[in-house]
Amino acid sequence: MADTVPTEYFAGISPIHFEGPETDNPLAFRTYDPDRVVMGKRMEDHLRPAVCFWHTFCWDGFDIFGAGPFERVWQADGPTRAGADQRREAAFEFFTKLGTPFYCFHDVDICEASPTATELASNFARAVDDLERLQEKTGLKPLWGTANLFSHPRYAAGGLTNPDPDVAACALRQVRDCLEATHRLGGSNYVLWGGREGYDTLLNTNLKTELDNFARFLSKIIDHKHKLGFKGKILIEPKPHEPMYHQYDYDTATIYGFLKTYGLENEVHVNIEPNHATLAGHSFAHEIATAVAFGIMGSIDINCGNAQNGWDTDQFNLDTRDITLAMIELLPSGGLDTGGFNFDAKVRRQSTDLEDLFYAHIGGLDALASGLLAAADIIEMGQIAAFKADRYAGWTNEFGQFLLDENTSLTEICDRAVAEDREGRHSSGRQEYLEQLVARSLG
Ligand code: XLS
Ligand code: NI
Ligand code: NI
């Protein structure tokens, strides 16, 4: 047991404020200015930033080669009830000092280690009561909650896609309880990340059975959401692999195909994570553009990988160009409504001081703000939209409309193309010019 329970976990760190680009204070925002209006909306309302429990307060820095070096005060007691009580207090002090309005959690993040499903249900319920108290004190709300259906050994072969109905029932209990808690706490969304919904080998897997079961359970979860009157969105988080060799929620396009197959495309949106996009061989912007195109854009877990090693390293994303390119896809669609930017990112294992958690989130917020400003600048200048409008203008002309008309047959199109001697000539895609515009707005 720690001798005393501290009243302040981040002593010596005052609330973080915007001080502008000239400041040399590393514990201040240089670009993130919550009240600054960009394209008619406050910066904070565009970004709706959230801090996550798991990387920032639960993780002690362990990796597969060694024990955790962080020695956080609230981790000293291990995964006990007293330790979890301190973890929640420390987290809310951090959120308040950083000044972000939202947080995200797994059920297991907020309470003590719970070996059985029944213990988890009661420990979680107690922790949720405490979150309610902390929320009343601070005004924070969950951006989303989620059930951890991948850490407990029973979930080795998946949660909602497990071959064993007993395991699936445990997963459904967790989802029901966590969805109800997220609703009660005023959460904006509910997330399902299919960490172990997939397989290591097809030799032991009935792929079709697992997908059918997943769809059936997802329908039940959606029905329950409507019964509760939860207005938030249900989000699936795409990721192609890790921990499994193959995960069913591979990327946004795969999820859309799944939803459409089972008639769930109007009920479920996606929670996009840049590091998962790169694992799937896509860019962050591609995933956003795909979600916007299919009308399933939900929320974002902001982070990035390491360009050289290809793992899910969950680093704080400081790549303002990457963020800008994603924002260029996101903003014209109206941006995020119930979604936000959740820092699903962790400090490096050698960054052991409490200040490091602040530097990481401050840098991450400044990078998001820079990306937002650059994208708004590009959009307001209008050349990209004008170039695209011109590039596709043919489809609004008579011949383009004739091609698209559902009553026009393939033969009629071909005959007319021959009769009018339509050869088609390439015109420049102007990639370098367009990239120059992005570079100019990035400053
Ligand atoms: C892991 C996922 C996870 C989800 C929540 O790769 O990003 O952290 O966001 O279960
Ligand atoms: Ni995530
Ligand atoms: Ni991840």
Side-chain angles (χ1 to χ4, degrees):
M1 261 312 262
D3 298 341
T4 49
V5 175
T7 49
E8 197 178 11
Y9 292 87
F10 301 93
I13 296 184
S14 335
I16 311 299
H17 295 296
F18 171 72
E19 290 184 10
E22 303 308 326
T23 189
D24 55 11
N25 177 5
L27 289 170
F29 297 118
R30 293 156 52 85
T31 317
Y32 177 63
D33 181 4
D35 289 322
R36 177 164 172 190
V37 174
V38 183
M39 290 176 75
K41 207 153 110 180
R42 289 172 65 249
M43 226 179 216
E44 186 186 70
D45 298 335
H46 271 288
L47 301 177
R48 295 168 49 85
V51 175
C52 80
F53 254 90
W54 53 101
H55 289 316
T56 300
F57 304 103
C58 302
W59 184 50
D60 64 2
F62 81 92
D63 67 14
I64 50 168
F65 300 99
F70 288 168
E71 298 179 336
R72 312 286 192 219
V73 174
W74 62 87
Q75 291 168 346
D77 290 340
T80 60
R81 174 167 289 189
D85 289 350
Q86 290 194 39
R87 190 193 305 156
R88 291 189 302 274
E89 288 285 347
F92 273 72
E93 184 188 325
F94 182 84
F95 306 151
T96 312
K97 287 189 166 168
L98 185 67
T100 40
F102 296 105
Y103 69 99
C104 295
F105 66 97
H106 297 88
D107 48 1
V108 303
D109 297 344
I110 60 164
C111 58
E112 59 270 47
S114 312
T116 67
T118 300
E119 281 165 298
L120 176 60
S122 76
N123 293 335
F124 177 63
R126 183 181 164 278
V128 171
D129 287 344
D130 193 44
L131 287 185
E132 199 162 48
R133 175 188 67 84
L134 289 161
Q135 287 193 182
E136 266 162 34
K137 232 171 84 179
T138 58
L140 270 113
K141 289 274 162 64
L143 180 65
W144 48 262
T146 188
N148 179 321
L149 308 180
F150 45 89
S151 293
H152 194 286
R154 75 164 76 85
Y155 295 129
L160 301 175
T161 63
N162 199 286
D164 179 351
D166 285 3
V167 177
C170 282
L172 288 165
R173 282 178 70 183
Q174 275 185 250
V175 172
R176 193 248 344 239
D177 292 352
C178 194
L179 177 61
E180 291 184 358
T182 305
H183 176 50
R184 190 179 127 202
L185 294 169
S188 297
N189 307 277
Y190 183 82
V191 165
L192 292 153
W193 169 57
R196 295 194 197 270
E197 315 297 9
Y199 57 83
D200 289 331
T201 173
L202 283 171
L203 293 173
N204 62 17
T205 304
N206 283 341
L207 182 143
K208 178 76 163 65
T209 306
E210 295 202 356
L211 287 171
D212 286 348
N213 290 358
F214 182 36
R216 181 61 59 85
F217 294 141
L218 194 53
S219 305
K220 292 184 196 297
I221 293 165
I222 292 162
D223 285 348
H224 196 68
K225 166 198 146 155
H226 290 306
K227 268 187 223 146
L228 289 175
F230 178 55
K231 297 280 173 260
K233 286 181 180 147
I234 304 269
L235 308 176
I236 294 184
E237 183 171 325
K239 186 173 182 182
H241 39 249
E242 204 214 334
M244 302 306 261
Y245 161 71
H246 176 89
Q247 278 155 218
Y248 297 133
D249 303 326
Y250 198 93
D251 60 1
T252 300
T254 307
I255 290 174
Y256 187 71
F258 166 81
L259 294 173
K260 191 88 182 157
T261 302
Y262 294 96
L264 301 172
E265 72 275 17
N266 297 322
E267 294 283 357
V268 180
H269 294 69
V270 284
N271 183 39
I272 288 172
E273 184 165 315
N275 205 164
H276 298 178
T278 50
L279 287 177
H282 302 312
S283 67
F284 179 21
H286 167 87
E287 285 292 85
I288 302 281
T290 305
V292 167
F294 292 137
I296 57 167
M297 184 59 221
S299 197
I300 293 168
D301 269 6
I302 188 69
N303 65 12
C304 67
N306 174 307
Q308 279 75 42
N309 69 13
W311 306 335
D312 191 21
T313 55
D314 289 338
Q315 290 170 232
F316 282 83
N317 192 331
L318 303 184
D319 183 344
T320 47
R321 184 171 181 277
D322 201 45
I323 295 169
T324 302
L325 293 174
M327 293 272 192
I328 289 173
E329 301 304 320
L330 181 66
L331 295 179
S333 73
L336 301 169
D337 48 15
T338 64
F341 282 85
N342 167 44
F343 287 102
D344 193 349
K346 54 184 188 243
V347 293
R348 297 304 87 191
R349 191 167 178 270
Q350 296 181 52
S351 302
T352 46
D353 292 348
L354 292 178
E355 290 95 293
D356 294 318
L357 292 175
F358 280 92
Y359 297 140
H361 286 83
I362 292 168
L365 270 161
D366 273 343
L368 283 178
S370 300
L372 173 67
L373 289 173
D377 191 49
I378 291 162
I379 291 165
E380 279 166 351
M381 283 193 310
Q383 293 101 325
I384 292 183
F387 180 79
K388 284 194 188 180
D390 189 48
R391 194 166 191 229
Y392 291 88
W395 298 103
T396 58
N397 295 343
E398 191 275 328
F399 184 67
Q401 290 288 300
F402 168 76
L403 255 66
L404 294 175
D405 190 320
E406 58 182 305
N407 297 315
T408 310
S409 72
L410 186 58
T411 307
E412 284 168 324
I413 292 174
C414 299
D415 289 350
R416 191 171 154 187
V418 172
E420 296 177 10
D421 195 21
R422 290 189 179 260
E423 274 300 324
R425 285 222 327 266
H426 179 68
S427 56
S428 174
R430 295 259 184 280
Q431 181 166 339
E432 295 73 15
Y433 157 74
L434 298 165
E435 286 172 345
Q436 213 183 87
L437 294 175
V438 174
R440 197 169 66 187
S441 290
L442 274 166

